[in-house]
Amino acid sequence: MSLFLAAVVVLLLASTNEALAHAIAEGDKGYIQEITGVHLVSFAYLGAKHMATGYDHILFLFGVIFFLYRMKHIGLYVTLFAIGHSTTMLLGVYFNIGINSYIIDAIIGLSVVYKGLDNIGAFQRWFGFQPDTKIATL
């Protein structure tokens, strides 16, 4: 079963391009360019859509919840991830900070590698300590 899941993930990643990672969909881009003023609900929807459809977010969260067995814990980690992601996005908009999407994609790729190493206990073996997964997820 895990081999099947790995194959599905590889096929999904191989069939996507960088525009699916952090670029804005064409329909959403047109909408954003046409509106003015505060549209909290609209942007909350776009943010939720981004987090639910972004393969990088799904892959990271899969790594986070892979060893969790209780829905309470899964809900906690997904909530921490959403709070962390939303906070960075809000601060970026509030302080007018823009970062190249290729850099963001590289950081997210490294976070997936980090979580994989964390899951196999590499930090404990290499450095003698286990990072707090709640803080890392946030």
Side-chain angles (χ1 to χ4, degrees), residues 114-115 117-136:
Y114 161 83
K115 190 58 198 152
L117 291 171
D118 182 43
N119 283 353
I120 63 172
F123 298 112
Q124 183 67 41
R125 282 194 308 273
W126 295 345
F127 305 114
F129 74 96
Q130 184 66 33
D132 186 343
T133 55
K134 290 177 184 159
I135 292 172

Side-chain angles (χ1 to χ4, degrees), residues 2-76:
S2 62
L3 182 60
F4 173 74
L5 287 175
V8 168
V9 169
V10 169
L11 286 173
L12 285 173
L13 293 175
S15 66
T16 60
N17 60 33
E18 70 274 2
L20 293 177
H22 281 95
I24 298 172
E26 286 301 317
D28 296 340
K29 191 181 297 184
Y31 171 74
I32 291 168
Q33 290 173 342
E34 294 294 321
I35 63 172
T36 59
V38 177
H39 291 271
L40 184 61
V41 174
S42 299
F43 283 102
Y45 165 76
L46 290 173
K49 179 179 164 185
H50 166 74
M51 285 199 285
T53 60
Y55 62 84
D56 50 350
H57 300 303
I58 294 168
L59 186 59
F60 179 78
L61 283 173
F62 178 74
V64 168
I65 66 173
F66 189 74
F67 290 112
L68 300 178
Y69 301 105
R70 296 180 179 230
M71 286 304 290
K72 178 174 87 170
H73 296 144
I74 293 171
L76 173 67

Side-chain angles (χ1 to χ4, degrees), residues 82-93 97 138:
I83 289 169
H85 194 304
S86 299
T87 302
T88 57
M89 298 294 288
L90 287 169
L91 291 173
V93 170
I97 299 170
L138 179 66

